[in-house]
Amino acid sequence: MHEAAAVPSWVLLAYLIAGACFIVALRGLSSPTSSQRGNRAGMIGMAIAVVTTLAIHDIASITEIAIAIAIGGGIGLVTARRIQMTAMPQLVAAFHSLVGMAAVLVGAAAFLNPAAFGITDAAGAILPVSRVEMGLGVAIGAITFSGSVIAFLKLNGNMSGAPILLPLRHVINLGTLAAILGLIAYFTQDQAPWIFWTVTALAFAIGFLLIIPIGGADMPVVISMLNSYSGWAAAAMGFTLHNSAMIITGALVGSSGAILSYIMCRAMNRSFISVIAGGFGAVASTGDAAAIDRPWKRGSAEDAAFLLKQADQVVIVPGYGMAVAQAQHALREMGDLLKAEGVRVKYAIHPVAGRMPGHMNVLLAEANVPYDEVFELEDINSEFAQTDVAFVIGANDVTNPAAKTDKTSPIYGMPVLDVEKARTVLFIKRSMGGVGYAGVDNELFYRDNTMMLLADAKKMVEEIVKALA
Amino acid sequence: MDFISILSIFVLACFVGYFVVWSVTPALHTPLMSVTNAISSVIIVGALIAAAAGGSPTSKWLGLIAVALASVNIFGGFAVTARMLAMYKKKERRDA
C-alpha cells in the first residue's frame, strides 16, 4: 500500500482532468443544445477516474469488482430506461440515498482498513485530520441516506406527504447534531470504534428526524438540499483520500444543490431555516367552508374549447396536478390543435411548480413541447395582461393573487404568476373543496373572469381536445 | 498533497461550481440534479480502493457493496440524464 504523498504525478493529473470534465458537464447545461455534449464529458470524466484508480492499485479482487460494477450498472441502466418521467423526483431521491450510503460504506472501510487509504501515521494510528474528515464524511453521508429514504417514501406515496411533527423536535435535532459534532471532536483524541459507530448511528437518526416534519410542497427544497449534502459527503471523502476528482466534484455538487435550494426558497419567499424547521401546511385550513359560500362560475369542456379557439394568445400554467394526472401529452395535443387554429400558445413555469426543480420542464419536454415555447416566471409575467386565456392546470398556490395583496396570507410575498390579469382564466381543479398545499383558499376562483373546470386534469384536457377537433 | 493544497482545490472548486451552476438554465434543473447525482458517485474511487485492498475482509466487502451502489448511480444517473436531455427539442418539429 502506498502513502498519499507517493502518488505519481500522472495520477494527480488524471484526477484533475476528471474533475475538469465534470465542470464541463455542468457547464453544458447552460443550454439544451450543448447539454448532451456536457453529459458525455461527465461520462468520460467518470471513466478516467475509475480507470486511473484501478490502474494504480494492486488489485486482489478484480473479478469481484467487475461483478459489483456489472450488477450495479445493470440495475442503474434498467431503472433509467424504465422510469416514468413523472416519477423523476422519487428516482433522484433514491439516487441521493445511494450516494449517501456509498459514502458511509467507504468511510467505514477506511476506518477498518486505514492503511489501504494511506491515512495512517508511523505507529499505524489514523491521522487526526483524517479522523475529522472521515467523521464528517460518514455523518453527512448517513444524513443524506436516511433523509433521502424519507424523501423517497414521501414522494413515492408510501408515506403521507403531510408533515409529521414530534414534540420537542427542535431540541432533539439540535441535541443530536451537537452530539455528532462533539463526538467527531473527541474522535481526534481517541480512535475507539464506539465513537465512529455512534456518530454513524446518530447521523442516520438525524437524517430521518430532519425530513419527516417537512411537507410535500417543500419537497423541491428538500431534494435540492439532499443533492447538496450528497456533494459535501463526496467532498469530505475526497479530503480523506486526498483525491482531487472527488473534491472538485463534491464542491460542484454541493454548491449546485445549495444554489437550487436557494432558488426554491426564494420562489416561495421562505427562509431556508423555516423550510428545514418544517411543519408548513400542517394546519388544516378552515377555508373550505368559505369556499362553498362564495359564488363562482363553472364551465364545461365545450365552453373552454370555444374560449380557447377565439383567443390570440393562450398561456398554459402547469403544476403538480398535471404530473399526477399525467396530462402532459393531452395538453400538448391541445396546444397543437390551438396552434393549427392560429392561436399563440405559451407555457409559464413557476420555479416551485412540481416536486423538484425543473420538474414541469421535463414533463413538457417529454410530451414534445418545444422548449422555446416554455417560459420562466420573470420572462412571462408581464405578458398576462396581453393574454386572452390563462389556462391553469394542476397549479394553485403559485397563481394565488393573495400572495400580492393579503398580508395575512401564509404565502404573502411569494412571487406568483399574474394569471388574473388575463382576459379569462380557465382553472382546472378536481373539486372546489380542496385547497392548495399551503392550505390557503385561492382568491382567483371567485373572480368574474375565472371559469372553473372541475374534473380530473387529463380527462378535462382530453374532452377539450375532442371539442376542438 | 498536503492539506492546504487540497483545501485550495476545494475552495476554488466551490467558486467554479457557484458560477457554473448559476449559468444553468432553469429548464434544465432536473437534468442538473440527475447529472450531479451521477458525478457525485465519483465516490466509487474510494469504494474501489477499499475493495481492491487486502488486509481486512470486512473493509473489502464494504468496498464492494459501495462499488455496486455507486455503479447504480453512475450508470443510472448518466443514462437518465441522457434520456431527459434527448427530449428537449426546438420548434418546427411536430409529431403526429
Side-chain angles (χ1 to χ4, degrees):
Chain A
M1 295 309 121
H2 61 88
E3 276 296 314
V7 176
S9 51
W10 73 265
V11 173
L12 296 178
L13 197 63
Y15 283 134
L16 193 62
I17 292 172
C21 284
F22 295 146
I23 296 176
V24 173
L26 297 198
R27 176 67 208 171
L29 292 171
S30 59
S31 113
T33 40
S34 58
S35 59
Q36 284 170 296
R37 225 173 23 235
N39 198 34
R40 279 193 289 276
M43 296 182 204
I44 293 169
M46 190 61 74
I48 294 174
V50 170
V51 170
T52 308
T53 311
L54 290 175
I56 54 162
H57 289 89
D58 311 318
I59 299 166
S61 50
I62 189 69
T63 333
E64 282 116 307
I65 290 177
I67 293 172
I69 293 182
I71 294 174
I75 296 173
L77 284 177
V78 170
T79 316
R81 199 148 304 160
R82 296 232 177 115
I83 192 84
Q84 289 224 354
M85 284 299 145
T86 39
M88 202 49 73
Q90 294 91 298
L91 182 72
V92 168
F95 279 168
H96 284 154
S97 73
L98 296 182
V99 179
M101 197 44 159
V104 173
L105 294 174
V106 172
F111 177 72
L112 295 171
N113 193 5
F117 291 84
I119 52 171
T120 47
D121 61 15
I126 303 173
L127 297 168
V129 179
S130 301
R131 291 185 206 173
V132 174
E133 294 158 351
M134 191 190 282
L136 285 176
V138 167
I140 303 171
I143 293 174
T144 312
F145 174 76
S146 53
S148 300
V149 168
I150 300 298
F152 171 84
L153 293 175
K154 287 195 171 199
L155 288 164
N156 205 34
N158 305 96
M159 195 172 151
S160 154
I164 297 166
L165 301 174
L166 297 176
L168 288 179
R169 62 203 156 88
H170 297 310
V171 180
I172 297 173
N173 289 350
L174 289 175
T176 316
L177 207 60
I180 291 172
L181 293 176
L183 282 171
I184 292 175
Y186 184 56
F187 193 43
T188 60
Q189 303 305 312
D190 182 357
Q191 198 188 310
W194 72 266
I195 305 176
F196 182 83
W197 299 115
T198 312
V199 166
T200 314
L202 286 178
F204 275 124
I206 200 173
F208 175 79
L209 291 171
L210 272 177
I211 309 302
I212 51 167
I214 304 182
D218 282 338
M219 278 301 147
V221 180
V222 169
I223 204 164
S224 314
M225 182 186 84
L226 291 167
N227 185 241
S228 181
Y229 287 178
S230 69
W232 302 130
M237 283 299 147
F239 272 95
T240 315
L241 306 179
H242 301 259
N243 184 302
S244 53
M246 277 164 88
I247 292 171
I248 295 174
T249 316
L252 288 177
V253 178
S255 27
S256 164
I259 290 174
L260 288 176
S261 312
Y262 168 75
I263 295 176
M264 295 301 116
C265 285
R266 191 181 57 180
M268 294 194 291
N269 191 35
R270 306 193 44 215
S271 74
F272 188 68
I273 300 292
S274 81
V275 172
I276 295 311
F280 196 60
V283 256
S285 154
T286 48
D288 299 21
I292 296 154
D293 291 345
R294 298 175 61 181
W296 49 277
K297 271 189 283 194
R298 179 173 187 163
S300 68
E302 287 71 29
D303 301 334
F306 177 78
L307 282 165
L308 287 165
K309 226 190 272 193
Q310 301 298 313
D312 283 329
Q313 171 158 298
V314 171
V315 176
I316 298 172
V317 180
Y320 183 57
M322 178 191 82
V324 174
Q326 300 263 22
Q328 65 271 27
H329 299 280
L331 194 65
R332 197 259 316 163
E333 219 179 309
M334 185 187 94
D336 284 352
L337 286 171
L338 290 174
K339 276 189 271 176
E341 298 270 348
V343 182
R344 248 174 304 131
V345 179
K346 293 179 178 176
Y347 295 80
I349 312 278
H350 192 279
V352 292
R355 284 292 178 268
M356 72 185 291
H359 192 186
M360 292 298 119
N361 303 77
V362 171
L363 294 181
L364 292 175
E366 185 201 11
N368 269 319
V369 171
Y371 62 77
D372 34 11
E373 287 176 10
V374 182
F375 297 88
E376 303 303 317
L377 177 123
E378 54 269 32
D379 299 325
I380 194 134
N381 236 358
S382 58
E383 283 201 33
F384 280 105
Q386 291 95 50
T387 298
D388 301 288
V389 179
F391 189 86
V392 183
I393 170 165
N396 188 353
D397 293 333
V398 298
T399 64
N400 195 338
K404 289 176 284 192
T405 52
D406 180 5
K407 287 204 169 131
T408 62
S409 170
I411 59 168
Y412 179 73
M414 167 172 157
V416 286
L417 291 156
D418 298 333
V419 289
E420 78 280 0
K421 292 198 178 136
R423 201 124 58 84
T424 310
V425 179
L426 295 176
F427 201 110
I428 302 190
K429 201 169 178 303
R430 227 164 326 175
S431 71
M432 280 310 276
V435 286
Y437 262 95
V440 283
D441 199 15
N442 195 340
E443 196 47 46
L444 196 62
F445 304 156
Y446 316 107
R447 293 206 165 218
D448 284 341
N449 62 341
T450 305
M451 187 188 273
M452 301 300 296
L453 306 171
L454 299 186
D456 172 75
K458 189 178 175 189
K459 267 194 209 120
M460 177 51 77
V461 175
E462 281 168 351
E463 277 171 39
I464 295 175
V465 165
K466 242 182 267 167
L468 280 172
Chain B
M1 277 195 289
D2 58 357
F3 183 74
I4 287 299
S5 21
I6 295 178
L7 191 66
S8 319
I9 295 177
F10 177 71
V11 172
L12 293 177
C14 283
F15 278 98
V16 171
Y18 179 85
F19 289 109
V20 168
V21 173
W22 272 116
S23 76
V24 172
T25 165
L28 294 177
H29 275 163
T30 297
L32 171 68
M33 298 198 88
S34 60
V35 84
T36 49
N37 227 307
I39 65 174
S40 57
S41 303
V42 72
I43 204 154
I44 196 173
V45 167
L48 287 170
I49 296 174
S56 162
T58 324
S59 164
K60 178 184 136 183
W61 279 104
L62 292 178
L64 283 173
I65 299 170
V67 167
L69 295 182
S71 303
V72 174
N73 234 329
I74 292 171
F75 286 86
F78 281 123
V80 87
T81 308
R83 198 179 133 201
M84 276 192 272
L85 293 176
M87 300 186 312
Y88 284 82
K89 290 180 190 103
K90 276 199 150 198
K91 231 177 262 183
E92 261 132 43
R93 199 192 154 280
R94 191 167 297 174
D95 308 19

